Amino acid sequence: MSAPASEENPWPVRTVARKIAEWVDRLGAVWVEGQLAQVNARSSTAFLTLRDPAADVSLQLIAPAALVRESGGAVAEGSRVIVHGKPSFYLGRGTLNLRVDRIRAVGLGELLARIERLRRLLAAEGLFDPALKRRPPLLPRTIGLVTGRDSAAEHDVVTNATLRWPAVRFRIENVAVQGGLAVEQIVGALQVLDRDPDVQVIVLARGGGSVEDLLPFSDETLCRAVAACRTPVVSAIGHEPDTPLVDHVADVRCSTPTEAGRSLVPDLAEETARISGLRDRARRALHGWVDREQRRLADLRSRPALADPLRLVAARVDEIADARAAAHRAMLRRLDRSAAELGHLGARLTALGPSATLARGYAIVQLPGAGDGVPPLLRSVADAPAGAALRIRVADGAVAATVTGTETGAETGAETGAETDLDPDPDPDPEDTP
């Protein structure tokens, strides 16, 4: 037994390899499932490469060539198989192999059962949820296409899309669509197209085939890659009856590549006809609106207020003229009444004034005035002693007199006393002053 390895006492390579081989030899036989990526059957020994469909992991197989030949077409590149073998470590090259003594192909029923289990798993995780589906743009700038090189699916998608919209642009990524390398290449192409900002929709296209041929499109790794894409993905795999799991994960499912080519872009002839129809509808709507507005304007213009707008003004002019005439007549009547009232007042004033009294034969006796003032009236005989100068005013003038004597008596007072209460003329004629 070798001493433990250390920095001072390291093991040689042969010792390490032998210990690994001894440890591997202690492993028992195992059953392994995978996909054959390479088959090389020599005269007596066959060398095969078995890869994991869901991961980038592979294992080298060594089997008798007779075992491969006896299996018929079940052992071929791309086939899903189950093998029984014992791990072994080859010292010369330091490689790990699996020495196989039994190989059998995975049956169709078993494949379908596994696909169904994976379908339920992905559905439970919500990858099939319709709420996650995204609608591709009506007219994408560039269409990303993942398909086989020079395949019928590529021709169907490109031809039908170009017939509908001649200016359509494609970015095509050619990959293996079946076999052991299909999933890895398809996932890589999806990631490349998803990073391209000009690609607005990605199409996975493949023609029809058997369940085994379409098996990569039911792979869990591919389904999760499609779900992780930020760009809408259209699945066009196989024919109408074919429904791989990627159809449920994709945003849009088309039954055939031909249908995908028709659904990616609008039809130029249909859109041109639709635009023409919309223009006709808009033209008719505009003409109808103009006609309605013209009729409405005609109705408004036919109304009396707008048909003859001066009619109202003329009617108002007549009313104003009548009002002015009525005001003029009312003013004249008012002036006439005022003139008559003024005449009556003047006559009354004349009748009540001192001039009228004098005209009836009365006289006003005034004492001599002092200065330029109005001479005071003689109101009592006591104010006119003998020899006093008097001024006697009559209707047509004034007479100067001198008192020679006085008389008293009721009769005389009755005849002359009433006049003593009259006020003198407030503005006597200067010519009447003695």
Side-chain angles (χ1 to χ4, degrees):
M1 185 174 182
S2 302
S6 64
E7 184 178 359
E8 293 75 14
N9 186 27
W11 286 348
V13 174
R14 61 183 180 275
T15 301
V16 175
R18 187 182 69 254
K19 288 185 176 293
I20 294 176
E22 293 174 354
W23 185 85
V24 171
D25 287 339
R26 289 197 296 269
L27 297 176
V30 292
W31 288 97
V32 183
E33 178 186 355
Q35 188 174 29
L36 291 176
Q38 184 179 3
V39 177
N40 186 7
R42 298 183 180 179
S43 59
S44 60
T45 304
F47 297 91
L48 305 92
T49 300
L50 187 68
R51 69 179 299 274
D52 191 316
D56 189 15
V57 179
S58 62
L59 185 64
Q60 296 298 320
L61 306 182
I62 298 177
L67 182 63
V68 175
R69 287 192 294 269
E70 291 173 0
S71 64
V75 179
E77 293 183 3
S79 300
R80 293 287 290 267
V81 295
I82 298 176
V83 300
H84 180 268
K86 186 176 184 304
S88 64
F89 187 78
Y90 182 61
L91 293 176
R93 295 182 180 179
T95 57
L96 180 67
N97 299 318
L98 188 64
R99 294 188 175 274
V100 177
D101 54 16
R102 294 178 61 184
I103 301 177
R104 70 175 182 87
V106 177
L108 179 59
E110 188 175 358
L111 286 177
L112 295 177
R114 293 178 183 179
I115 292 174
E116 178 62 21
R117 288 196 297 270
L118 180 58
R119 187 192 67 80
R120 290 197 296 267
L121 173 63
L122 297 179
E125 293 183 11
L127 269 65
F128 301 164
D129 190 352
L132 301 178
K133 308 301 182 183
R134 294 157 296 183
R135 184 184 298 274
L138 175 65
L139 187 60
R141 291 192 299 269
T142 302
I143 298 173
L145 177 59
V146 180
T147 186
R149 185 179 302 276
D150 298 329
S151 62
E154 177 182 347
H155 177 269
D156 291 344
V157 172
V158 174
T159 300
N160 284 278
T162 304
L163 287 175
R164 291 173 62 85
W165 196 269
V168 64
R169 295 172 53 194
F170 281 93
R171 178 177 176 179
I172 301 175
E173 295 289 332
N174 294 121
V175 297
V177 293
Q178 69 183 52
L181 301 177
V183 174
E184 180 181 356
Q185 292 185 10
I186 294 173
V187 171
L190 278 174
Q191 294 173 349
V192 170
L193 294 177
D194 193 36
R195 288 193 297 266
D196 190 342
D198 290 333
V199 175
Q200 293 184 304
V201 63
I202 301 174
V203 182
L204 296 179
R206 188 201 189 283
S210 63
V211 175
E212 291 83 357
D213 294 336
L214 301 181
L215 199 59
F217 296 95
S218 293
D219 186 84
E220 181 179 0
T221 302
L222 178 58
C223 291
R224 295 189 183 278
V226 170
C229 284
R230 295 170 297 181
T231 307
V233 177
V234 177
S235 175
I237 308 301
H239 301 301
E240 179 66 33
D242 299 325
T243 310
L245 294 182
V246 75
D247 282 355
H248 301 288
V249 182
D251 298 286
V252 178
R253 188 253 177 182
C254 295
S255 59
T256 62
T258 300
E259 182 186 352
R262 293 173 179 172
S263 64
L264 290 173
V265 292
D267 185 81
L268 180 60
E270 293 179 1
E271 296 302 318
T272 302
R274 183 179 303 174
I275 292 174
S276 178
L278 292 175
R279 284 179 175 174
D280 293 340
R281 288 178 56 188
R283 187 181 298 109
R284 290 194 299 270
L286 182 59
H287 287 173
W289 179 80
V290 172
D291 292 340
R292 288 194 303 272
E293 295 303 318
Q294 286 181 341
R295 290 193 299 269
R296 185 177 299 176
L297 288 175
D299 293 341
L300 293 175
R301 293 177 62 184
S302 64
R303 295 180 179 180
L306 294 179
D308 187 9
L310 297 180
R311 178 184 301 175
L312 295 177
V313 177
R316 298 303 179 191
V317 169
D318 295 340
E319 292 179 3
I320 292 173
D322 295 342
R324 291 180 62 185
H328 184 68
R329 291 192 298 270
M331 181 62 70
L332 291 179
R333 287 194 298 271
R334 179 63 179 169
L335 291 175
D336 291 342
R337 287 196 302 270
S338 298
E341 292 176 359
L342 185 61
H344 293 318
L345 291 174
R348 291 178 61 187
L349 290 174
T350 301
L352 295 175
S355 296
T357 303
L358 294 177
R360 292 197 302 270
Y362 291 88
I364 298 174
V365 181
Q366 296 174 307
L367 295 174
D372 295 334
V374 178
L377 295 176
L378 178 61
R379 299 181 181 276
S380 175
V381 294
D383 297 330
L390 301 175
R391 180 178 180 271
I392 302 173
R393 182 180 176 181
V394 292
D396 56 352
V399 177
T402 303
V403 178
T404 58
T406 60
E407 294 180 358
T408 60
E411 181 179 355
T412 301
E415 293 176 356
T416 63
E419 296 301 321
T420 61
D421 294 333
L422 297 176
D423 292 332
D425 187 355
D427 187 14
D429 189 352
E431 296 180 356
D432 296 338
T433 305

